[in-house]
Amino acid sequence: MMDIDFKEYQLSSELRGHEDDVRGICVCDNVGIATSSRDRTVRFWSLDPSDKRKYHSSKILLGHTSFVGPLAWISPNAEFPEGGLVSGGMDTMVLVWDLRSGEKVQTLQGHKLQVTGVTLDNEDIVSSSVDSTLKRWRKGKLVEFWEAHNAPIQTVIRIPSGEIVSGSSDTTIKLWKGKKCAQTFVGHTDTVRGLSVMPGVGIISASHDCTIRLWALTGQVLMEMVGHTAIVYSIDSHASGLIVSGSEDRFAKIWKDGVCVQSLEHPGCVWDAKFLENGDIVTACSDGVTRIWTVHSDKVADSLELEAYASELSQYKLSRKKVGGLKLYDLPGLEALQIPGTSAGQTKVVREGDNGVAYSWDMKEQRWDKLGEVVDGPDDGMNRPILDGIQYDYVFDVDIGDGEPTRKLPYNRSVNINVPSVNFAEVYNPYDAADKWLLKENLPFSYRQQIVEFILQNTGQKDFTLNTSFRDPYTGAIPAKPTFKHIPKKGMLIFDAAQFDGILKKIMEFNNALLSDLEKKNLSMSELETSRVAAVVKILKDTSHYHCSSFADVDISLLLKLLKTWPPAMIFPVIDILRMTILHPDGASLLLKHVENQNDVLMEMIEKVSSNPTLPANLLTGIRAVTNLFKNSSWYSWLQKHRSEILDAFSSCYSSPNKNVQLSYSTLILNYAVLLIEKKDEEGQSHVLSAALEIAEEESMEVDSKYRALVAIGTLMLEGLVKKIALDFDVGNIARVAKASKETKIAEVGADIELLAKQS
């Protein structure tokens, strides 16, 4: 419902000048607006002195060599009398600009991949990157950095209390006090793409899971806002309490008290949306235009401008409209019907106004007979309902009675006439749709005809004639095989992020400690050996040349020597180097030769890190190193051979208080499930299933760890040889508990497993 206190936004003006997508917006106090673009430029827009509702491009900042994304404003000060800007780009650069001259005054180099966020922390600049790090810059110099997430970081902001907050593709948000993570916010089920401060409350986040969340700084979710139908890229709030979001679904949505009160439609993806101090909204669109929207009647665009925009939207939607999988504008016009057909029943689809219409050739009468309009789902999927992440023409609420909860029934009407000359999108037959749904919901097929009639009645297909290619399952057809959202798992998961400088520093620190200890000095490395370790790290850092770089055999021998001889408390950085060496093709091959030709130092390492008393750092690096072996198929035989010893050695990890150890262990279990299914190893699958069930039943288990264990269980049941064993373990109860979880992905994989259990 529309709140009576809310005034609707209307278009005020358009800022045209960029030659490609406008990606970012920065509100520069009351001085102006800065925008970044895929065209590699940053533009600064000043208020037009002759028309206070319009802006003009007063400066174009050139310096980035690839598209520009995040922006931050430097308020006027002694160094920047007219203010400055900070920009980050795909070129890995952070650039600082003086607005008075329009010149680049600092180039901050250090990130390895795209810069995704920039924010000011007093006089410092903090940047985030796809390389998973946060970096702090002071007076043009890098003063500190840290690996803040185990996946690309997509956004970073500073909150009024002084902490830094980052959002990542690992689905989490982290609050940082210095380099220490003080709070992890868990709740989104996909990449966190945008963050903003909600004054006096906490922070708001935008995610690829199509939702917006409001968080207290304690990590508690205060509110979830659902309404977008695609990735939400940006989020911002205003002192009035309003929130604005920008999405790939082409809408900027305005929210009040958790309710969407208005949707601003655009002719393309909305990359960014920001409030001006007066409450107006600025949006950045993929059509290269920045737009200002206002609630102030004296700032609304004139009628001609509003009509022009409405026409632009209409033309855009028509250009995107499809019929039968083809763009409407690509279809021939009515003139195509002047050409005679070549065979009886030949079909042709032509464009008539805003529709595609099918005709059939009547050979006897030598004319084209109209079959009817081709229906391909409303508006090419725009504004269509979504269920389980998939768009449909319809999603019905079905009440089956008997005290059962209402069920969601999805249906795509698509094309209801046979036009073989056109490559149509998937056609849904209502009988087929009913069969799939009844099987998914575990409902009796006696409901079948009732469901079909319900579909026909509610989609306007009362005259539907059943195509003989669809057969009733009671007369010989096999019901459609159900599809599962999260299983089976294909491929292996690895741990490929490393803070090499920190690892090398720790190894040198330990080596110096050994040098200064008279009793252990003989265990220390020589200068030549330390240089060899540094050379190994240099090779590992250069991932772009993994295909042609190689190690000397002495490099691997040195690492294995350190594993064998150094005190247990000092080996974790060595294992970390080994973990990354395993991901290098040549490193993995050389290591395997050493393991096959000498004593199995890897099994010795596993025994060492898992022996009591265990050290969390050793346990974590040890599990991750073994998990990374799954990347290279040449290690599969070794992994299968030592499966029992490896899983037994790490079996207590599921109850570790260290969440990273839990996640690493569950990843190891999931990789083993995939491998042993491929090897058709029933005994091994049974062992892995038992370990995965143990994780799934642990109440205090971290969300991602439990999720990976459940995926392992579902994959083993679906494609492995242990479904009966799983049922004996009452996997149905585990599935029901998971299905009731507030965590979406846990609930979804629980539903997958429950369906599998019911099919037995």
Side-chain angles (χ1 to χ4, degrees):
M1 288 178 57
M2 179 67 68
D3 192 291
I4 57 173
D5 294 326
F6 175 76
K7 292 184 179 179
E8 284 207 350
Y9 280 83
Q10 296 184 71
L11 182 67
S12 174
S13 62
E14 295 184 325
L15 283 55
R16 294 181 179 269
H18 282 298
E19 298 174 0
D20 211 330
D21 298 44
V22 185
R23 293 297 299 264
I25 297 165
C26 181
V27 177
C28 307
D29 296 336
N30 290 316
V31 179
I33 299 167
T35 55
S36 62
S37 171
R38 193 183 290 274
D39 67 10
R40 307 181 183 184
T41 71
V42 176
R43 285 180 179 252
F44 186 78
W45 308 82
S46 303
L47 266 174
D48 189 328
S50 63
D51 186 346
K52 292 298 183 182
R53 73 179 176 89
K54 293 189 175 181
Y55 289 79
H56 69 277
S57 178
S58 57
K59 286 187 173 65
I60 302 175
L61 311 182
L62 302 171
H64 281 286
T65 59
S66 186
F67 79 73
V68 194
L71 298 169
W73 166 243
I74 303 172
S75 296
N77 56 33
E79 186 179 359
F80 301 102
E82 296 181 16
L85 283 170
V86 183
S87 61
M90 175 67 87
D91 56 11
T92 76
M93 302 290 188
V94 176
L95 302 182
V96 181
W97 309 85
D98 184 348
L99 269 186
R100 179 171 60 176
S101 63
E103 296 296 323
K104 174 180 62 179
V105 293
Q106 290 177 7
T107 300
L108 311 181
Q109 294 179 275
H111 282 297
K112 297 175 182 175
L113 297 169
Q114 176 188 350
V115 177
T116 54
V118 290
T119 191
L120 295 183
D121 186 11
N122 296 321
E123 294 184 359
D124 291 351
I125 296 168
V126 177
S127 57
S128 64
S129 169
V130 174
D131 66 14
S132 306
T133 67
L134 291 175
K135 295 186 186 291
R136 179 179 294 276
W137 312 85
R138 186 173 299 152
K139 298 186 183 303
K141 303 292 184 183
L142 179 64
V143 292
E144 65 177 2
F145 70 94
W146 64 102
E147 188 175 341
H149 290 264
N150 58 11
I153 305 174
Q154 299 290 353
T155 179
V156 64
I157 60 170
R158 180 186 185 272
I159 59 177
S161 54
E163 292 89 351
I164 298 296
V165 182
S166 57
S168 167
S169 294
D170 65 10
T171 76
T172 70
I173 300 163
K174 291 183 183 289
L175 185 147
W176 301 91
K177 291 188 176 181
K179 293 170 66 173
K180 181 182 178 182
C181 179
Q183 185 68 50
T184 299
F185 300 67
V186 178
H188 281 299
T189 59
D190 206 335
T191 295
V192 177
R193 191 59 178 264
L195 292 170
S196 185
V197 173
M198 188 72 181
V201 181
I203 59 173
I204 40 179
S205 58
S207 171
H208 285 205
D209 64 13
C210 308
T211 71
I212 297 157
R213 291 189 177 221
L214 172 63
W215 309 79
L217 295 183
T218 58
Q220 179 186 1
V221 178
L222 302 177
M223 189 182 294
E224 184 177 25
M225 286 160 263
V226 179
H228 282 295
T229 58
I231 292 170
V232 189
Y233 287 115
S234 63
I235 194 77
D236 194 28
S237 71
H238 187 255
S240 64
L242 292 181
I243 291 170
V244 64
S245 55
S247 168
E248 195 172 62
D249 64 11
R250 302 188 305 106
F251 287 93
K253 288 185 179 288
I254 300 144
W255 309 80
K256 183 171 184 178
D257 300 326
V259 177
C260 178
V261 290
Q262 189 180 356
S263 297
L264 303 174
E265 189 173 9
H266 288 67
C269 163
V270 181
W271 285 112
D272 201 1
K274 292 282 195 299
F275 281 105
L276 295 174
E277 187 177 337
N278 66 0
D280 286 355
I281 290 171
V282 191
T283 56
C285 185
S286 61
D287 67 349
V289 181
T290 305
R291 293 178 174 85
I292 314 289
W293 307 81
T294 188
V295 292
H296 306 287
S297 57
D298 60 330
K299 292 187 176 182
V300 175
D302 62 40
S303 58
L304 288 177
E305 291 172 308
L306 294 176
E307 287 174 13
Y309 184 63
S311 175
E312 187 178 354
L313 277 178
S314 177
Q315 290 299 313
Y316 175 83
K317 288 190 285 187
L318 280 177
S319 71
R320 304 274 291 181
K321 185 175 180 181
K322 292 184 179 181
V323 291
L326 297 176
K327 283 188 177 181
L328 177 66
Y329 275 23
D330 289 341
L331 294 176
L334 287 169
E335 66 276 3
L337 299 179
Q338 296 174 8
I339 303 172
T342 56
S343 60
Q346 179 187 349
T347 54
K348 185 176 288 189
V349 180
V350 299
R351 175 161 52 91
E352 293 186 23
D354 295 343
N355 299 304
V357 179
Y359 286 82
S360 175
W361 180 248
D362 185 326
M363 184 65 85
K364 182 179 179 181
E365 299 292 333
Q366 288 288 295
R367 70 185 183 194
W368 290 102
D369 292 332
K370 181 182 286 191
L371 294 176
E373 181 183 333
V374 178
V375 181
D376 195 42
D379 210 13
D380 188 27
M382 294 184 284
N383 302 324
R384 293 198 297 165
I386 290 179
L387 181 64
D388 297 332
I390 301 171
Q391 283 189 325
Y392 293 94
D393 293 346
Y394 307 92
V395 175
F396 300 113
D397 288 321
V398 180
D399 183 1
I400 60 174
D402 300 324
E404 291 282 338
T406 300
R407 314 289 179 99
K408 296 288 186 183
L409 168 61
Y411 182 71
N412 276 332
R413 175 170 172 166
S414 197
V415 183
N416 59 10
I417 54 175
N418 182 28
V419 188
S421 61
V422 179
N423 179 25
F424 283 113
E426 180 181 6
V427 180
Y428 265 48
N429 174 286
Y431 285 90
D432 185 39
D435 291 346
K436 290 179 179 178
W437 184 74
L438 291 170
L439 188 62
K440 177 178 181 292
E441 295 291 340
N442 197 33
L443 294 171
F445 274 95
S446 57
Y447 287 141
R448 186 174 191 256
Q449 190 59 36
Q450 185 180 348
I451 294 299
V452 169
E453 290 173 2
F454 175 89
I455 291 172
L456 296 178
Q457 177 71 32
N458 287 279
T459 58
Q461 298 182 90
K462 297 177 184 178
D463 300 324
F464 176 84
T465 302
L466 180 64
N467 186 319
T468 55
S469 64
F470 291 88
R471 292 175 293 163
D472 188 305
Y474 289 108
T475 60
I478 299 173
K481 184 180 179 181
T483 56
F484 301 97
K485 188 161 186 178
H486 296 273
I487 55 175
K489 174 72 179 74
K490 301 293 184 183
M492 304 298 186
L493 297 175
I494 57 172
F495 296 96
D496 58 358
Q499 194 174 333
F500 286 111
D501 294 338
I503 296 169
L504 188 57
K505 181 180 178 182
K506 183 59 70 174
I507 288 177
M508 297 312 170
E509 178 186 314
F510 285 158
N511 194 60
N512 290 334
L514 291 172
L515 278 169
S516 60
D517 187 331
L518 292 177
E519 294 182 1
K520 298 178 181 177
K521 188 174 182 179
N522 63 311
L523 301 179
S524 65
M525 292 186 288
S526 65
E527 286 188 20
L528 177 61
E529 287 176 324
T530 58
S531 67
R532 291 305 318 165
V533 173
V536 167
V537 169
K538 185 177 181 181
I539 292 171
L540 293 175
K541 278 184 171 182
D542 189 10
T543 55
S544 61
H545 291 94
Y546 270 25
H547 62 289
C548 59
S549 59
S550 61
F551 298 95
D553 192 65
V554 293
D555 295 336
I556 305 300
S557 297
L558 173 58
L559 292 176
L560 298 183
K561 185 186 91 169
L562 298 179
L563 274 185
K564 289 172 71 76
T565 61
W566 272 21
M570 293 183 172
I571 62 172
F572 68 87
V574 180
I575 301 173
D576 234 6
I577 294 287
L578 193 69
R579 167 178 70 91
M580 300 307 293
T581 304
I582 286 166
L583 299 180
H584 189 290
D586 186 60
S589 298
L590 278 177
L591 181 61
L592 184 59
K593 288 179 183 177
H594 279 264
V595 167
E596 290 174 340
N597 296 338
Q598 303 170 20
N599 292 331
D600 195 336
V601 72
L602 275 188
M603 286 309 303
E604 290 179 21
M605 180 270 288
I606 291 169
E607 184 177 346
K608 188 180 290 188
V609 302
S610 60
S611 297
N612 284 324
T614 58
L615 300 173
N618 284 357
L619 207 54
L620 180 62
T621 52
I623 302 174
R624 288 181 169 181
V626 175
T627 302
N628 281 2
L629 292 171
F630 285 84
K631 183 183 181 182
N632 195 312
S633 59
S634 62
W635 279 91
Y636 284 1
S637 294
W638 184 91
L639 286 163
Q640 187 177 12
K641 175 184 175 184
H642 294 288
R643 177 261 311 161
S644 181
E645 302 154 86
I646 292 170
L647 294 184
D648 287 346
F650 293 127
S651 60
S652 63
C653 291
Y654 81 95
S655 59
S656 169
N658 186 310
K659 303 296 185 184
N660 290 324
V661 169
Q662 288 182 13
L663 181 63
S664 301
Y665 177 60
S666 62
T667 307
L668 176 68
I669 295 298
L670 181 53
N671 281 356
Y672 256 122
V674 175
L675 172 64
L676 297 174
I677 287 170
E678 180 184 316
K679 298 294 185 181
K680 296 182 172 56
D681 182 344
E682 185 173 359
E683 180 185 346
Q685 290 177 35
S686 178
H687 189 177
V688 172
L689 175 67
S690 176
L693 289 166
E694 201 168 33
I695 298 171
E697 289 179 319
E698 178 63 39
E699 290 184 6
S700 62
M701 186 61 57
E702 190 265 341
V703 171
D704 284 335
S705 302
K706 181 166 286 193
Y707 170 73
R708 292 183 183 185
L710 288 167
V711 171
I713 293 167
T715 301
L716 285 165
M717 290 177 66
L718 184 61
E719 297 201 330
L721 306 169
V722 291
K723 186 173 183 179
K724 185 179 184 306
I725 298 172
L727 295 172
D728 290 342
F729 275 112
D730 195 17
V731 75
N733 184 57
I734 291 174
R736 283 189 291 276
V737 172
K739 192 177 176 183
S741 172
K742 294 180 181 178
E743 297 293 338
T744 304
K745 62 184 180 182
I746 298 289
E748 288 175 346
V749 74
D752 285 350
I753 295 171
E754 185 180 57
L755 180 57
L756 270 173
K758 286 180 177 179
Q759 288 176 352
S760 59

